[in-house]
Amino acid sequence: MRQLLDVPAPAKLNLFLHITGRRADGYHLLQSVFMLIDWCDTLHFERRAGGAISREDIGGSGPALPANDLVVRAAQALQRASGCEWGAHIALDKQIPQEAGMGGGSSDAASCLLALNRLWGLDLPLEQLLQIGLQLGADVPFFLGGDNAWVEGIGEQLTPVTLPAGNFIVLKPPTGASTPKIFQSPALKRDSLCSTMRDFVASASVFNYGHNDLQPVAINLCPDIKIGLDWLKNQNLSGTMTGSGSALFAPTSQASKVDITTLPPGWIARSCKNLFEHPLKQWRK
């Protein structure tokens, strides 16, 4: 096998995000549910001799990614961990917006680890891939895990959770919000009451459970978020920010009609469905 083509890397939405405290080392304690959706980047891999890792951008939109992005770093980390002498050329069709809170870069890195583990014939177990992934970013283990998840701790405690099928409208303004600035803000609420997965599963609508504690601070840093929330309200939809933003989403019914032509210029909008599991889940060992 010399190539792996059309490898998907799906985005995620945070159905809610509660900050329940802060550790002595400054890391925030949180609770959330990460849900996979069918908005995906696509990667193509070609195995090459010599050990070099190269990457090109194909299709997609937005600014070009840096040469040493998470995909390249993931491939290099896998080489170091395994002692592999193979190289690879990686072509990335970037469709998930950047600075959106949708985990696009982390998902690309996870799909890269899963794909090259196969392409290079390494057969590393999931536990070892998770160790590599955690060094690349807090969200990478989620995408490696393969399941929608109840998330706790500083984001490292993942418990698979079953979600019903759903439809969503996802919006991304042309501007982004700074994650470090949000978490550094003295205005950030850090004392939300702890929930349980049982409470979440038993709620009347899991897609409208809780809130996002980061949203008020993010609105002050990125006023476009408020514009998007008001637009969703005018569409008779209840929206919220995902992650640290600036993307927003709202559950919709299959029959609902959302007029995206009324969005301001430069906004991206897409109708999405959730995924019951990661499309590469069967590649885990």
Side-chain angles (χ1 to χ4, degrees), residues 117-252:
N117 192 39
R118 289 171 65 88
L119 191 63
W120 290 341
L122 303 177
D123 294 325
L124 298 185
L126 177 62
E127 290 74 17
Q128 193 166 351
L129 294 180
L130 289 170
Q131 292 175 5
I132 299 170
L134 188 58
Q135 297 170 14
L136 296 166
D139 287 349
V140 178
F142 162 70
F143 291 104
L144 288 169
D147 297 298
N148 296 311
W150 173 269
V151 183
E152 293 186 288
I154 60 173
E156 86 287 8
Q157 299 175 27
L158 304 171
T159 304
V161 62
T162 300
L163 300 173
N167 299 277
F168 306 85
I169 181 73
V170 185
L171 313 177
K172 171 63 173 68
T175 53
S178 168
T179 300
K181 287 183 179 180
I182 292 173
F183 278 102
Q184 291 164 8
S185 172
L188 178 64
K189 178 178 173 60
R190 298 179 170 90
D191 59 354
S192 283
L193 296 177
C194 289
S195 300
T196 67
M197 191 164 67
R198 178 177 295 180
D199 292 337
F200 169 76
V201 172
S203 62
S205 173
V206 295
F207 298 138
N208 288 300
Y209 183 87
H211 55 272
N212 187 336
D213 281 329
L214 307 186
Q215 185 170 292
V217 176
I219 287 174
N220 289 330
L221 295 172
C222 179
D224 276 346
I225 294 172
K226 179 65 164 55
I227 293 173
L229 292 170
D230 289 343
W231 183 88
L232 288 168
K233 187 176 181 180
N234 289 335
Q235 298 282 330
N236 297 313
L237 297 172
S238 178
T240 190
M241 187 179 78
T242 178
S244 57
S246 57
L248 310 164
F249 72 95
T252 64

Side-chain angles (χ1 to χ4, degrees), residues 13 15 35-38 163-169 206-207 250-254 271-276:
L13 298 176
L15 292 182
M35 179 183 71
L36 297 160
I37 59 173
D38 61 357
L163 300 173
N167 299 277
F168 306 85
I169 181 73
V206 295
F207 298 138
T252 64
S253 67
Q254 287 184 317
S271 295
C272 297
K273 296 180 182 295
N274 60 342
L275 302 174
F276 296 119

